[in-house]
Every structure is written in C-alpha cells, then in structure tokens.
Amino acid sequence: DTVLTQSPALAVSPGERVSISCRASEGVNSYMHWYQQKPGQQPKLLIYKASNLASGVPARFSGSGSGTDFTLTIDPVEADDTATYFCQQSWNDPNTFGAGTKLELK
Amino acid sequence: QVQLKESGPGLVQPSRTLSLTCTVSGFSLTSYGVSWVRQPPGKGLEWIAAIWSGGSTDYNSALKSRLSISRDTSKSQVLLKMNSLQTEDTAMYFCARFRQLGYFDYWGQGVMVTVSS
C-alpha cells in the first residue's frame, strides 16, 4: 500500500503562513486530496487533486505538488484553523490516508 | 442538500458480526459512489470499502475476507457488514460520498463502534 508521511504537529501564530507536507512512498500523479478534521467532527474536504479548492473553502487554503511531494498551505492562519489535517491519495489501490498533522495556534 | 447518516449498534461482542447502515439524501446512489472509512480513537483514517454508482464493489484487501458492502437504492441506503470482530475494530465508522477522482466530498457524522465483551 502507498504510505503517506506527514509531520505529526505544527504550531503557528495567527496571521502567519503555514505549510503542511505530505510525502508518498510511491508516485500518486496529482491524485492527492486534503481534509480538515476538528475534534469530535467528521473530516471536511479542503483540496482535491492536489490544487483544486473544494466548494465553500476559503481561498486562504491552497494545495500544490505532484508525484510524491505535496503541500497544503494556509495563508493567513486563523484561530478557527486549529485542527488535524489529513492527506489522502487515490491513484494507487487501495486509497490511503496520512496519519495527520495536528495544527495548533500559539 | 447532501447528507449522509450512519446507524448501527454502539457495542458489539468479540467474534460477532457488525452491521452498519448509511442513509443518504440529496443525491442518488445510482449517480454517486459511497465508501466506508473508519478511525480508531486518537488515530488516523482507514478506507474500508466502496460501492460505486453502477453497483460494483471494492474492499480494503487487509479486511476483504471479513467484509460485505451492498445497497438498497429504493431506501437510499448503503449497508456494511463486517464479521469476526476484534477489539482492534473499535473505531468511529464514517460513510462518505466519493467522486470519480477518488476523493470524499461529503461525510456523515460517524457512528462509534466498541468491540467488547
């Protein structure tokens, strides 16, 4: 299975820019998607196919990358962005998720 | 609007069979696929199974021998059965609508399943 590696945690101050990385163990073309999950809630789609903003998601969120290295960027970060962010690939079978990056605000 | 809602027993004994139902509204199961994804407490997400709009099915190979996914289009429901439950199957189980590119655009709130005697 394709393993997706994410940093466990990040801490940033409101108003700053943050980049959350996701590295795949094998190429996934551009079939990388990003989700936000707040405690006690279901995941919410942010970005699909590497760089496409999902409906209703603020333009502060953006995605980039292809192949094996991908990045979710939030600029500027707001207090409400405290959450865990997961990447997911759907190029290789089965589709897999990263372990998540917990974003905390200082 | 698009909604998905999971239902099922909160507690299941080890070695028994789990049956979960996902009831959808705001879209047709013959137009969109639905997957099940689970999340053990404090851990990450694991895709379990999918049923496509045409009715074909896919399973996580690690769980395939224990799984069955089906649907009742007249009731707008997707059903998941998992047998031989163990404590490591304790998790929040989500159903989610998936798109052709493989991402999940709408999720249910999830149902917590605890495997314990």
Side-chain angles (χ1 to χ4, degrees):
Chain A
D1 295 359
T2 303
V3 176
L4 303 181
T5 301
Q6 298 184 246
S7 299
L10 288 170
V12 298
S13 299
E16 291 185 343
R17 170 190 172 111
V18 65
S19 293
I20 298 171
S21 66
C22 178
R23 174 164 288 178
S25 61
E26 57 187 324
V28 300
N29 200 313
S30 59
Y31 286 71
M32 186 67 77
H33 322 295
W34 291 93
Y35 303 85
Q36 175 193 66
Q37 186 179 34
K38 297 181 179 180
Q41 296 186 16
Q42 68 270 51
K44 173 188 174 184
L45 177 69
L46 297 175
I47 300 288
Y48 64 94
K49 205 165 181 282
S51 60
N52 296 278
L53 196 66
S55 177
V57 175
R60 303 184 292 105
F61 293 88
S62 63
S64 63
S66 66
T68 60
D69 290 297
F70 297 85
T71 302
L72 171 70
T73 300
I74 311 172
D75 186 16
V77 172
E78 296 183 357
D80 188 53
D81 298 334
T82 298
T84 299
Y85 293 84
F86 294 95
C87 53
Q88 175 233 341
Q89 67 80 24
S90 60
W91 181 251
N92 300 312
D93 188 32
N95 72 80
T96 50
F97 292 86
T101 296
K102 189 172 184 178
L103 181 66
E104 296 179 343
L105 267 65
K106 298 177 184 175
Chain B
Q1 71 274 32
V2 173
Q3 291 186 320
L4 301 95
K5 185 172 177 62
E6 306 86 349
S7 58
L11 180 66
V12 181
Q13 292 183 328
S15 80
R16 303 299 291 264
T17 297
L18 171 67
S19 295
L20 296 175
T21 300
C22 175
T23 303
V24 310
S25 59
F27 69 97
S28 170
L29 293 176
T30 58
S31 296
Y32 293 89
V34 170
S35 273
W36 287 93
V37 177
R38 70 179 180 179
Q39 184 173 36
K43 296 190 177 181
L45 299 160
E46 179 182 33
W47 173 77
I48 299 172
I51 187 162
W52 293 76
S53 57
S56 60
T57 58
D58 281 320
Y59 297 99
N60 185 318
S61 58
L63 302 167
K64 186 174 183 177
S65 63
R66 300 167 53 206
L67 293 172
S68 173
I69 188 171
S70 62
R71 68 183 185 182
D72 184 335
T73 56
S74 67
K75 295 182 179 178
S76 294
Q77 291 181 334
V78 174
L79 312 171
L80 181 74
K81 291 187 186 297
M82 179 185 294
N83 60 31
S84 303
L85 285 190
Q86 301 301 321
T87 54
E88 51 265 34
D89 294 313
T90 293
M92 183 73 79
Y93 286 75
F94 297 99
C95 62
R97 189 178 84 166
F98 69 86
R99 305 302 296 269
Q100 199 74 12
L101 293 176
Y103 60 88
F104 306 100
D105 61 350
Y106 288 92
W107 296 66
Q109 293 185 326
V111 59
M112 184 66 202
V113 174
T114 301
V115 182
S116 175
S117 55

